[in-house]
Amino acid sequence: MNRTISVSTAVFAAIWAQRQAGEDTEDAILNRLLKCGEPAPMQNKDTPKGNGLTDRRSGVHFAEGFEVFRNYKRKHYTGVVEGGQWIRPDTGERFPTLNQLNQSIVDGNENVWNGNWKFLGTDGTQRSIAELR
């Protein structure tokens, strides 16, 4: 039987930061970390992507609906995780990675973990996404 729990974005990201190869669910990650001894059920690869997305390079998981924002050349931009992709609400464009979302905004290449992209913490303060790594 499955149970649902609510966790903060920071805890959710921390769980996904512990992910190892082959672990595609929070249950699988926590099963290993908590030494439950029960094999986690395999996730159906045909399941629609509605559980957010994971940045493969950093291992950070962004929950469905997670919102980031930044300013560039005096303009405010946002990105929202929807259906396993980043969406720019101002244009409706979809991007598979945060890097590609960023490239749709800035001139040239830029490290997305440099502190420009922010999110609202549970206390309502602006926080750098770099904290999630």
Side-chain angles (χ1 to χ4, degrees):
M1 176 183 281
N2 289 327
R3 303 273 188 227
T4 301
I5 62 171
S6 296
V7 296
S8 68
T9 302
V11 170
F12 192 78
I15 291 169
W16 279 93
Q18 297 297 315
R19 178 187 177 274
Q20 291 184 355
E23 295 175 334
D24 294 325
T25 65
E26 295 84 11
D27 188 69
I29 298 165
L30 291 172
N31 185 36
R32 176 182 50 81
L33 292 172
L34 299 173
K35 299 179 173 105
C36 295
E38 297 178 17
M42 294 299 292
Q43 184 177 23
N44 182 349
K45 298 295 184 192
D46 296 328
T47 302
K49 294 180 181 179
N51 295 322
L53 68 88
T54 301
D55 181 276
R56 298 290 179 210
R57 286 186 176 176
S58 67
V60 174
H61 183 78
F62 296 98
E64 187 78 7
F66 189 86
E67 184 173 323
V68 294
F69 54 90
R70 71 165 297 165
N71 291 318
Y72 182 71
K73 293 187 176 180
R74 298 185 183 190
K75 186 170 178 186
H76 186 77
Y77 295 93
T78 60
V80 180
V81 174
E82 184 179 294
Q85 295 184 317
W86 288 101
I87 296 192
R88 269 185 64 179
D90 62 328
T91 64
E93 293 175 281
R94 296 178 158 281
F95 304 93
T97 68
L98 186 56
N99 279 317
Q100 289 177 354
L101 168 67
N102 193 61
Q103 287 173 353
S104 75
I105 296 167
V106 303
D107 299 325
N109 292 327
E110 178 181 74
N111 179 353
V112 296
W113 301 99
N114 66 3
N116 288 329
W117 284 100
K118 310 279 187 204
F119 69 99
L120 288 181
T122 55
D123 61 356
T125 61
Q126 291 185 13
R127 318 255 321 243
S128 168
I129 63 165
E131 293 178 27
L132 302 175
R133 294 201 310 184

Short mmCIF file of all heavy atoms in Angstrom, two decimals, residues 30-97:
data_model
loop_
_atom_site.label_atom_id
_atom_site.label_comp_id
_atom_site.label_asym_id
_atom_site.label_seq_id
_atom_site.Cartn_x
_atom_site.Cartn_y
_atom_site.Cartn_z
N LEU A 30 14.67 6.35 -0.75
CA LEU A 30 14.49 6.23 0.70
C LEU A 30 14.58 4.79 1.16
O LEU A 30 15.07 4.52 2.27
CB LEU A 30 13.16 6.85 1.11
CG LEU A 30 13.09 8.37 0.97
CD1 LEU A 30 11.67 8.87 1.20
CD2 LEU A 30 14.07 9.04 1.91
N ASN A 31 14.15 3.85 0.33
CA ASN A 31 14.24 2.43 0.66
C ASN A 31 15.70 2.05 0.93
O ASN A 31 16.02 1.39 1.92
CB ASN A 31 13.66 1.58 -0.46
CG ASN A 31 13.62 0.11 -0.13
OD1 ASN A 31 13.38 -0.26 1.00
ND2 ASN A 31 13.86 -0.71 -1.12
N ARG A 32 16.60 2.51 0.07
CA ARG A 32 18.03 2.23 0.25
C ARG A 32 18.58 2.97 1.46
O ARG A 32 19.25 2.38 2.31
CB ARG A 32 18.81 2.63 -1.00
CG ARG A 32 20.33 2.46 -0.85
CD ARG A 32 21.09 2.90 -2.08
NE ARG A 32 20.73 4.22 -2.55
CZ ARG A 32 21.20 5.36 -2.02
NH1 ARG A 32 22.04 5.35 -1.00
NH2 ARG A 32 20.83 6.54 -2.52
N LEU A 33 18.28 4.27 1.56
CA LEU A 33 18.84 5.07 2.66
C LEU A 33 18.37 4.61 4.03
O LEU A 33 19.13 4.62 4.99
CB LEU A 33 18.49 6.55 2.46
CG LEU A 33 19.16 7.25 1.28
CD1 LEU A 33 18.58 8.64 1.10
CD2 LEU A 33 20.66 7.30 1.46
N LEU A 34 17.12 4.19 4.11
CA LEU A 34 16.55 3.77 5.39
C LEU A 34 16.71 2.28 5.65
O LEU A 34 16.26 1.77 6.67
CB LEU A 34 15.08 4.18 5.46
CG LEU A 34 14.82 5.69 5.36
CD1 LEU A 34 13.33 5.98 5.27
CD2 LEU A 34 15.45 6.42 6.53
N LYS A 35 17.33 1.60 4.67
CA LYS A 35 17.61 0.16 4.79
C LYS A 35 16.35 -0.65 5.11
O LYS A 35 16.33 -1.46 6.02
CB LYS A 35 18.69 -0.08 5.83
CG LYS A 35 20.00 0.60 5.48
CD LYS A 35 21.05 0.37 6.54
CE LYS A 35 22.36 0.90 6.05
NZ LYS A 35 22.84 2.09 6.56
N CYS A 36 15.31 -0.39 4.32
CA CYS A 36 14.04 -1.10 4.52
C CYS A 36 14.10 -2.55 4.07
O CYS A 36 13.33 -3.38 4.53
CB CYS A 36 12.91 -0.38 3.78
SG CYS A 36 12.59 1.26 4.43
N GLY A 37 15.00 -2.86 3.15
CA GLY A 37 15.18 -4.23 2.71
C GLY A 37 14.16 -4.72 1.70
O GLY A 37 14.26 -5.83 1.22
N GLU A 38 13.18 -3.90 1.37
CA GLU A 38 12.19 -4.29 0.38
C GLU A 38 12.57 -3.69 -0.96
O GLU A 38 12.84 -2.50 -1.04
CB GLU A 38 10.79 -3.80 0.76
CG GLU A 38 10.28 -4.38 2.04
CD GLU A 38 8.90 -3.81 2.39
OE1 GLU A 38 8.24 -3.25 1.51
OE2 GLU A 38 8.51 -3.94 3.55
N PRO A 39 12.60 -4.49 -2.02
CA PRO A 39 12.90 -3.89 -3.31
C PRO A 39 11.78 -2.95 -3.72
O PRO A 39 10.60 -3.26 -3.56
CB PRO A 39 13.00 -5.09 -4.25
CG PRO A 39 12.26 -6.19 -3.57
CD PRO A 39 12.35 -5.91 -2.10
N ALA A 40 12.17 -1.79 -4.20
CA ALA A 40 11.17 -0.83 -4.66
C ALA A 40 10.61 -1.28 -5.99
O ALA A 40 11.34 -1.79 -6.83
CB ALA A 40 11.82 0.55 -4.80
N PRO A 41 9.31 -1.11 -6.21
CA PRO A 41 8.74 -1.49 -7.49
C PRO A 41 9.31 -0.65 -8.61
O PRO A 41 9.59 0.53 -8.42
CB PRO A 41 7.24 -1.24 -7.32
CG PRO A 41 7.13 -0.30 -6.17
CD PRO A 41 8.34 -0.51 -5.32
N MET A 42 9.50 -1.26 -9.76
CA MET A 42 10.02 -0.53 -10.92
C MET A 42 8.95 0.41 -11.44
O MET A 42 7.79 0.06 -11.53
CB MET A 42 10.42 -1.51 -12.04
CG MET A 42 11.60 -2.39 -11.68
SD MET A 42 13.10 -1.45 -11.33
CE MET A 42 13.45 -0.81 -12.93
N GLN A 43 9.37 1.62 -11.79
CA GLN A 43 8.44 2.59 -12.33
C GLN A 43 8.24 2.30 -13.81
O GLN A 43 9.19 2.01 -14.53
CB GLN A 43 9.01 4.00 -12.15
CG GLN A 43 8.08 5.08 -12.61
CD GLN A 43 8.67 6.46 -12.33
OE1 GLN A 43 9.88 6.61 -12.22
NE2 GLN A 43 7.82 7.44 -12.26
N ASN A 44 7.01 2.39 -14.24
CA ASN A 44 6.68 2.18 -15.65
C ASN A 44 7.23 3.35 -16.45
O ASN A 44 6.87 4.49 -16.22
CB ASN A 44 5.15 2.07 -15.81
CG ASN A 44 4.74 1.81 -17.24
OD1 ASN A 44 5.55 1.90 -18.15
ND2 ASN A 44 3.49 1.48 -17.42
N LYS A 45 8.11 3.06 -17.40
CA LYS A 45 8.73 4.12 -18.20
C LYS A 45 7.73 4.82 -19.10
O LYS A 45 8.00 5.89 -19.62
CB LYS A 45 9.86 3.54 -19.07
CG LYS A 45 10.98 2.94 -18.26
CD LYS A 45 11.70 3.97 -17.45
CE LYS A 45 12.86 3.35 -16.71
NZ LYS A 45 13.42 4.19 -15.71
N ASP A 46 6.54 4.23 -19.29
CA ASP A 46 5.51 4.86 -20.13
C ASP A 46 4.62 5.80 -19.33
O ASP A 46 3.72 6.40 -19.87
CB ASP A 46 4.65 3.78 -20.81
CG ASP A 46 5.47 2.93 -21.76
OD1 ASP A 46 6.43 3.45 -22.34
OD2 ASP A 46 5.14 1.75 -21.91
N THR A 47 4.85 5.92 -18.01
CA THR A 47 4.05 6.80 -17.18
C THR A 47 4.28 8.24 -17.61
O THR A 47 5.41 8.65 -17.83
CB THR A 47 4.45 6.64 -15.69
OG1 THR A 47 4.28 5.28 -15.34
CG2 THR A 47 3.61 7.53 -14.80
N PRO A 48 3.21 9.04 -17.73
CA PRO A 48 3.39 10.44 -18.10
C PRO A 48 4.30 11.14 -17.09
O PRO A 48 4.27 10.85 -15.91
CB PRO A 48 1.97 11.02 -18.04
CG PRO A 48 1.06 9.85 -18.11
CD PRO A 48 1.81 8.69 -17.54
N LYS A 49 5.09 12.07 -17.59
CA LYS A 49 6.03 12.79 -16.74
C LYS A 49 5.28 13.88 -15.99
O LYS A 49 5.12 14.97 -16.49
CB LYS A 49 7.15 13.38 -17.58
CG LYS A 49 8.03 12.34 -18.22
CD LYS A 49 9.11 12.99 -19.04
CE LYS A 49 9.97 11.94 -19.70
NZ LYS A 49 11.00 12.53 -20.52
N GLY A 50 4.83 13.58 -14.78
CA GLY A 50 4.13 14.55 -13.98
C GLY A 50 4.75 14.67 -12.61
O GLY A 50 4.17 15.22 -11.71
N ASN A 51 5.93 14.12 -12.44
CA ASN A 51 6.58 14.11 -11.13
C ASN A 51 7.79 15.02 -11.10
O ASN A 51 8.73 14.77 -10.37
CB ASN A 51 6.99 12.68 -10.75
CG ASN A 51 5.80 11.79 -10.57
OD1 ASN A 51 4.78 12.22 -10.05
ND2 ASN A 51 5.89 10.56 -11.01
N GLY A 52 7.79 16.05 -11.90
CA GLY A 52 8.91 16.97 -11.92
C GLY A 52 10.00 16.51 -12.86
O GLY A 52 9.76 15.74 -13.79
N LEU A 53 11.21 17.00 -12.62
CA LEU A 53 12.35 16.58 -13.42
C LEU A 53 13.62 16.66 -12.61
O LEU A 53 13.70 17.39 -11.63
CB LEU A 53 12.47 17.41 -14.71
CG LEU A 53 12.82 18.89 -14.61
CD1 LEU A 53 14.33 19.08 -14.63
CD2 LEU A 53 12.23 19.64 -15.77
N THR A 54 14.60 15.86 -13.01
CA THR A 54 15.88 15.83 -12.33
C THR A 54 16.96 16.35 -13.26
O THR A 54 17.06 15.93 -14.41
CB THR A 54 16.23 14.38 -11.90
OG1 THR A 54 15.20 13.91 -11.03
CG2 THR A 54 17.55 14.34 -11.17
N ASP A 55 17.74 17.29 -12.75
CA ASP A 55 18.90 17.78 -13.48
C ASP A 55 19.97 16.71 -13.38
O ASP A 55 20.50 16.46 -12.29
CB ASP A 55 19.38 19.10 -12.88
CG ASP A 55 20.56 19.67 -13.63
OD1 ASP A 55 21.70 19.24 -13.34
OD2 ASP A 55 20.34 20.52 -14.50
N ARG A 56 20.26 16.03 -14.48
CA ARG A 56 21.15 14.87 -14.46
C ARG A 56 22.58 15.21 -14.05
O ARG A 56 23.25 14.42 -13.41
CB ARG A 56 21.16 14.19 -15.84
CG ARG A 56 19.82 13.66 -16.25
CD ARG A 56 19.42 12.49 -15.40
NE ARG A 56 18.10 12.01 -15.79
CZ ARG A 56 17.26 11.44 -14.98
NH1 ARG A 56 17.59 11.24 -13.73
NH2 ARG A 56 16.09 11.04 -15.39
N ARG A 57 23.06 16.40 -14.42
CA ARG A 57 24.44 16.76 -14.07
C ARG A 57 24.61 17.00 -12.57
O ARG A 57 25.61 16.62 -11.98
CB ARG A 57 24.88 18.00 -14.82
CG ARG A 57 25.16 17.75 -16.27
CD ARG A 57 25.73 18.97 -16.92
NE ARG A 57 26.08 18.70 -18.30
CZ ARG A 57 26.51 19.60 -19.12
NH1 ARG A 57 26.66 20.85 -18.73
NH2 ARG A 57 26.81 19.27 -20.36
N SER A 58 23.64 17.67 -11.96
CA SER A 58 23.78 18.02 -10.55
C SER A 58 23.08 17.03 -9.63
O SER A 58 23.35 17.01 -8.43
CB SER A 58 23.19 19.41 -10.31
OG SER A 58 21.78 19.37 -10.51
N GLY A 59 22.14 16.26 -10.18
CA GLY A 59 21.38 15.33 -9.36
C GLY A 59 20.24 15.98 -8.60
O GLY A 59 19.57 15.34 -7.81
N VAL A 60 19.99 17.27 -8.84
CA VAL A 60 18.91 17.98 -8.15
C VAL A 60 17.58 17.65 -8.83
O VAL A 60 17.46 17.72 -10.05
CB VAL A 60 19.15 19.50 -8.15
CG1 VAL A 60 17.96 20.25 -7.57
CG2 VAL A 60 20.42 19.84 -7.39
N HIS A 61 16.60 17.30 -8.01
CA HIS A 61 15.26 17.04 -8.52
C HIS A 61 14.38 18.25 -8.23
O HIS A 61 14.36 18.75 -7.12
CB HIS A 61 14.64 15.80 -7.87
CG HIS A 61 13.31 15.48 -8.43
ND1 HIS A 61 13.15 14.85 -9.65
CD2 HIS A 61 12.06 15.74 -7.98
CE1 HIS A 61 11.86 14.71 -9.89
NE2 HIS A 61 11.18 15.25 -8.90
N PHE A 62 13.68 18.70 -9.26
CA PHE A 62 12.75 19.81 -9.14
C PHE A 62 11.34 19.24 -9.23
O PHE A 62 10.99 18.59 -10.21
CB PHE A 62 12.97 20.83 -10.26
CG PHE A 62 14.33 21.48 -10.22
CD1 PHE A 62 15.35 21.00 -11.03
CD2 PHE A 62 14.58 22.56 -9.40
CE1 PHE A 62 16.60 21.59 -11.01
CE2 PHE A 62 15.83 23.16 -9.37
CZ PHE A 62 16.85 22.67 -10.18
N ALA A 63 10.55 19.48 -8.20
CA ALA A 63 9.18 18.94 -8.13
C ALA A 63 8.29 19.60 -9.18
O ALA A 63 8.55 20.73 -9.62
CB ALA A 63 8.60 19.19 -6.75
N GLU A 64 7.26 18.90 -9.58
CA GLU A 64 6.25 19.45 -10.49
C GLU A 64 5.73 20.76 -9.90
O GLU A 64 5.41 20.85 -8.71
CB GLU A 64 5.10 18.45 -10.63
CG GLU A 64 4.08 18.84 -11.66
CD GLU A 64 4.52 18.57 -13.09
OE1 GLU A 64 5.58 17.94 -13.31
OE2 GLU A 64 3.79 18.98 -14.00
N GLY A 65 5.73 21.81 -10.71
CA GLY A 65 5.27 23.12 -10.27
C GLY A 65 6.34 24.00 -9.65
O GLY A 65 6.10 25.17 -9.34
N PHE A 66 7.56 23.45 -9.48
CA PHE A 66 8.66 24.23 -8.90
C PHE A 66 8.93 25.43 -9.80
O PHE A 66 9.00 25.30 -11.02
CB PHE A 66 9.92 23.37 -8.77
CG PHE A 66 11.02 24.03 -7.99
CD1 PHE A 66 11.05 23.93 -6.61
CD2 PHE A 66 12.03 24.72 -8.63
CE1 PHE A 66 12.08 24.52 -5.87
CE2 PHE A 66 13.05 25.33 -7.92
CZ PHE A 66 13.08 25.22 -6.53
N GLU A 67 9.08 26.61 -9.20
CA GLU A 67 9.27 27.83 -9.98
C GLU A 67 10.60 28.47 -9.64
O GLU A 67 10.97 28.59 -8.48
CB GLU A 67 8.15 28.83 -9.70
CG GLU A 67 8.23 30.07 -10.55
CD GLU A 67 7.01 30.97 -10.39
OE1 GLU A 67 5.89 30.44 -10.27
OE2 GLU A 67 7.19 32.20 -10.40
N VAL A 68 11.32 28.87 -10.69
CA VAL A 68 12.57 29.62 -10.54
C VAL A 68 12.40 30.96 -11.25
O VAL A 68 11.54 31.10 -12.12
CB VAL A 68 13.78 28.85 -11.13
CG1 VAL A 68 14.05 27.59 -10.33
CG2 VAL A 68 13.58 28.52 -12.59
N PHE A 69 13.23 31.91 -10.88
CA PHE A 69 13.14 33.22 -11.52
C PHE A 69 14.51 33.89 -11.52
O PHE A 69 15.39 33.51 -10.74
CB PHE A 69 12.10 34.10 -10.83
CG PHE A 69 12.31 34.25 -9.35
CD1 PHE A 69 13.09 35.27 -8.83
CD2 PHE A 69 11.72 33.35 -8.47
CE1 PHE A 69 13.29 35.40 -7.47
CE2 PHE A 69 11.92 33.47 -7.11
CZ PHE A 69 12.70 34.50 -6.61
N ARG A 70 14.66 34.84 -12.40
CA ARG A 70 15.89 35.63 -12.48
C ARG A 70 15.61 36.92 -13.21
O ARG A 70 14.60 37.06 -13.89
CB ARG A 70 17.00 34.86 -13.20
CG ARG A 70 16.75 34.71 -14.69
CD ARG A 70 17.96 34.29 -15.48
NE ARG A 70 18.99 35.31 -15.40
CZ ARG A 70 20.25 35.12 -15.75
NH1 ARG A 70 20.64 33.96 -16.22
NH2 ARG A 70 21.14 36.08 -15.66
N ASN A 71 16.53 37.87 -13.07
CA ASN A 71 16.47 39.11 -13.83
C ASN A 71 17.65 39.10 -14.79
O ASN A 71 18.74 38.65 -14.45
CB ASN A 71 16.56 40.32 -12.90
CG ASN A 71 15.32 40.46 -12.06
OD1 ASN A 71 14.21 40.28 -12.54
ND2 ASN A 71 15.49 40.75 -10.79
N TYR A 72 17.38 39.58 -16.01
CA TYR A 72 18.44 39.68 -17.01
C TYR A 72 18.16 40.92 -17.84
O TYR A 72 17.05 41.06 -18.40
CB TYR A 72 18.48 38.44 -17.88
CG TYR A 72 19.58 38.45 -18.91
CD1 TYR A 72 20.91 38.31 -18.53
CD2 TYR A 72 19.30 38.61 -20.25
CE1 TYR A 72 21.93 38.33 -19.46
CE2 TYR A 72 20.31 38.62 -21.20
CZ TYR A 72 21.63 38.49 -20.81
OH TYR A 72 22.64 38.51 -21.73
N LYS A 73 19.12 41.80 -17.89
CA LYS A 73 18.98 43.07 -18.62
C LYS A 73 17.69 43.77 -18.24
O LYS A 73 16.90 44.17 -19.08
CB LYS A 73 19.08 42.85 -20.12
CG LYS A 73 20.46 42.39 -20.57
CD LYS A 73 20.59 42.35 -22.06
CE LYS A 73 22.01 41.97 -22.46
NZ LYS A 73 22.18 41.91 -23.91
N ARG A 74 17.48 43.89 -16.93
CA ARG A 74 16.35 44.60 -16.32
C ARG A 74 14.98 44.00 -16.63
O ARG A 74 13.96 44.66 -16.48
CB ARG A 74 16.36 46.07 -16.71
CG ARG A 74 17.59 46.78 -16.23
CD ARG A 74 17.52 48.23 -16.51
NE ARG A 74 18.77 48.86 -16.09
CZ ARG A 74 18.95 50.15 -16.03
NH1 ARG A 74 17.99 50.96 -16.36
NH2 ARG A 74 20.11 50.62 -15.64
N LYS A 75 14.96 42.75 -17.04
CA LYS A 75 13.69 42.07 -17.27
C LYS A 75 13.61 40.83 -16.39
O LYS A 75 14.60 40.14 -16.18
CB LYS A 75 13.56 41.67 -18.75
CG LYS A 75 12.20 41.11 -19.08
CD LYS A 75 11.98 40.94 -20.56
CE LYS A 75 10.61 40.31 -20.77
NZ LYS A 75 10.35 39.98 -22.14
N HIS A 76 12.41 40.58 -15.85
CA HIS A 76 12.17 39.45 -14.95
C HIS A 76 11.71 38.24 -15.77
O HIS A 76 10.81 38.35 -16.60
CB HIS A 76 11.10 39.83 -13.93
CG HIS A 76 10.89 38.79 -12.88
ND1 HIS A 76 11.75 38.61 -11.83
CD2 HIS A 76 9.90 37.88 -12.73
CE1 HIS A 76 11.30 37.63 -11.07
NE2 HIS A 76 10.19 37.17 -11.59
N TYR A 77 12.33 37.09 -15.52
CA TYR A 77 11.98 35.84 -16.21
C TYR A 77 11.66 34.77 -15.19
O TYR A 77 12.25 34.74 -14.10
CB TYR A 77 13.15 35.36 -17.08
CG TYR A 77 13.49 36.28 -18.21
CD1 TYR A 77 14.46 37.26 -18.06
CD2 TYR A 77 12.84 36.16 -19.43
CE1 TYR A 77 14.77 38.12 -19.10
CE2 TYR A 77 13.14 37.02 -20.48
CZ TYR A 77 14.11 37.99 -20.31
OH TYR A 77 14.42 38.83 -21.34
N THR A 78 10.76 33.87 -15.55
CA THR A 78 10.45 32.74 -14.69
C THR A 78 10.47 31.46 -15.51
O THR A 78 10.31 31.48 -16.74
CB THR A 78 9.06 32.86 -14.02
OG1 THR A 78 8.07 32.94 -15.03
CG2 THR A 78 8.99 34.08 -13.12
N GLY A 79 10.67 30.37 -14.81
CA GLY A 79 10.58 29.04 -15.39
C GLY A 79 9.84 28.15 -14.40
O GLY A 79 10.03 28.27 -13.19
N VAL A 80 8.97 27.29 -14.91
CA VAL A 80 8.18 26.41 -14.06
C VAL A 80 8.30 24.98 -14.58
O VAL A 80 8.22 24.75 -15.79
CB VAL A 80 6.68 26.83 -14.08
CG1 VAL A 80 5.85 25.92 -13.19
CG2 VAL A 80 6.53 28.28 -13.64
N VAL A 81 8.47 24.03 -13.67
CA VAL A 81 8.54 22.63 -14.05
C VAL A 81 7.11 22.14 -14.29
O VAL A 81 6.25 22.26 -13.43
CB VAL A 81 9.21 21.78 -12.95
CG1 VAL A 81 9.13 20.30 -13.29
CG2 VAL A 81 10.64 22.21 -12.75
N GLU A 82 6.91 21.62 -15.48
CA GLU A 82 5.60 21.10 -15.85
C GLU A 82 5.78 19.94 -16.83
O GLU A 82 6.42 20.08 -17.86
CB GLU A 82 4.75 22.19 -16.50
CG GLU A 82 3.34 21.77 -16.82
CD GLU A 82 2.56 22.90 -17.44
OE1 GLU A 82 2.31 23.91 -16.75
OE2 GLU A 82 2.21 22.80 -18.64
N GLY A 83 5.22 18.80 -16.47
CA GLY A 83 5.27 17.65 -17.37
C GLY A 83 6.68 17.19 -17.69
O GLY A 83 6.95 16.76 -18.80
N GLY A 84 7.59 17.30 -16.73
CA GLY A 84 8.95 16.84 -16.94
C GLY A 84 9.83 17.79 -17.73
O GLY A 84 10.90 17.41 -18.19
N GLN A 85 9.38 19.03 -17.90
CA GLN A 85 10.16 20.03 -18.63
C GLN A 85 10.05 21.38 -17.95
O GLN A 85 9.16 21.60 -17.13
CB GLN A 85 9.64 20.16 -20.06
CG GLN A 85 9.82 18.93 -20.90
CD GLN A 85 9.38 19.17 -22.33
OE1 GLN A 85 8.35 19.79 -22.58
NE2 GLN A 85 10.17 18.70 -23.28
N TRP A 86 10.96 22.28 -18.31
CA TRP A 86 10.88 23.67 -17.88
C TRP A 86 10.02 24.42 -18.89
O TRP A 86 10.18 24.25 -20.09
CB TRP A 86 12.26 24.32 -17.83
CG TRP A 86 13.10 23.83 -16.70
CD1 TRP A 86 14.11 22.91 -16.77
CD2 TRP A 86 12.99 24.20 -15.34
NE1 TRP A 86 14.63 22.70 -15.53
CE2 TRP A 86 13.97 23.48 -14.63
CE3 TRP A 86 12.16 25.08 -14.63
CZ2 TRP A 86 14.15 23.61 -13.25
CZ3 TRP A 86 12.34 25.21 -13.27
CH2 TRP A 86 13.33 24.48 -12.60
N ILE A 87 9.14 25.27 -18.40
CA ILE A 87 8.30 26.09 -19.26
C ILE A 87 8.55 27.55 -18.95
O ILE A 87 8.64 27.93 -17.78
CB ILE A 87 6.80 25.76 -19.05
CG1 ILE A 87 6.56 24.33 -19.46
CG2 ILE A 87 5.92 26.74 -19.79
CD1 ILE A 87 5.14 23.95 -19.59
N ARG A 88 8.66 28.34 -20.00
CA ARG A 88 8.72 29.80 -19.84
C ARG A 88 7.30 30.31 -19.97
O ARG A 88 6.74 30.32 -21.07
CB ARG A 88 9.58 30.43 -20.93
CG ARG A 88 11.02 30.57 -20.58
CD ARG A 88 11.80 31.31 -21.62
NE ARG A 88 11.37 32.69 -21.79
CZ ARG A 88 11.94 33.53 -22.65
NH1 ARG A 88 12.94 33.13 -23.41
NH2 ARG A 88 11.50 34.76 -22.76
N PRO A 89 6.68 30.74 -18.88
CA PRO A 89 5.30 31.21 -18.96
C PRO A 89 5.10 32.40 -19.90
O PRO A 89 4.02 32.54 -20.48
CB PRO A 89 4.97 31.62 -17.51
CG PRO A 89 5.89 30.80 -16.68
CD PRO A 89 7.16 30.69 -17.49
N ASP A 90 6.13 33.23 -20.08
CA ASP A 90 5.97 34.40 -20.95
C ASP A 90 5.87 34.04 -22.42
O ASP A 90 5.27 34.77 -23.20
CB ASP A 90 7.10 35.41 -20.71
CG ASP A 90 8.48 34.87 -21.04
OD1 ASP A 90 8.71 33.65 -20.86
OD2 ASP A 90 9.35 35.66 -21.46
N THR A 91 6.45 32.90 -22.82
CA THR A 91 6.41 32.51 -24.24
C THR A 91 5.72 31.17 -24.47
O THR A 91 5.37 30.85 -25.60
CB THR A 91 7.85 32.39 -24.80
OG1 THR A 91 8.53 31.33 -24.12
CG2 THR A 91 8.61 33.70 -24.68
N GLY A 92 5.59 30.37 -23.41
CA GLY A 92 5.02 29.03 -23.55
C GLY A 92 6.01 28.00 -24.06
O GLY A 92 5.67 26.84 -24.22
N GLU A 93 7.25 28.43 -24.30
CA GLU A 93 8.27 27.50 -24.80
C GLU A 93 8.62 26.48 -23.72
O GLU A 93 8.61 26.79 -22.53
CB GLU A 93 9.55 28.25 -25.18
CG GLU A 93 9.41 29.17 -26.36
CD GLU A 93 10.69 29.96 -26.57
OE1 GLU A 93 10.90 30.94 -25.83
OE2 GLU A 93 11.47 29.56 -27.46
N ARG A 94 8.98 25.26 -24.17
CA ARG A 94 9.35 24.16 -23.28
C ARG A 94 10.82 23.80 -23.50
O ARG A 94 11.29 23.81 -24.63
CB ARG A 94 8.49 22.94 -23.56
CG ARG A 94 7.03 23.16 -23.27
CD ARG A 94 6.23 21.89 -23.64
NE ARG A 94 4.97 21.81 -22.96
CZ ARG A 94 4.79 21.43 -21.70
NH1 ARG A 94 5.80 21.06 -20.97
NH2 ARG A 94 3.59 21.41 -21.16
N PHE A 95 11.49 23.44 -22.40
CA PHE A 95 12.90 23.09 -22.46
C PHE A 95 13.17 21.88 -21.58
O PHE A 95 12.69 21.83 -20.44
CB PHE A 95 13.77 24.27 -22.00
CG PHE A 95 13.52 25.52 -22.77
CD1 PHE A 95 12.59 26.45 -22.32
CD2 PHE A 95 14.16 25.75 -23.97
CE1 PHE A 95 12.34 27.60 -23.04
CE2 PHE A 95 13.92 26.91 -24.70
CZ PHE A 95 13.00 27.84 -24.24
N PRO A 96 13.96 20.92 -22.05
CA PRO A 96 14.23 19.74 -21.24
C PRO A 96 15.21 19.98 -20.10
O PRO A 96 15.25 19.22 -19.14
CB PRO A 96 14.81 18.74 -22.24
CG PRO A 96 15.35 19.57 -23.35
CD PRO A 96 14.51 20.81 -23.40
N THR A 97 16.00 21.06 -20.17
CA THR A 97 16.99 21.33 -19.12
C THR A 97 16.94 22.79 -18.71
O THR A 97 16.52 23.67 -19.48
CB THR A 97 18.42 21.01 -19.58
OG1 THR A 97 18.80 21.94 -20.60
CG2 THR A 97 18.55 19.58 -20.09
#
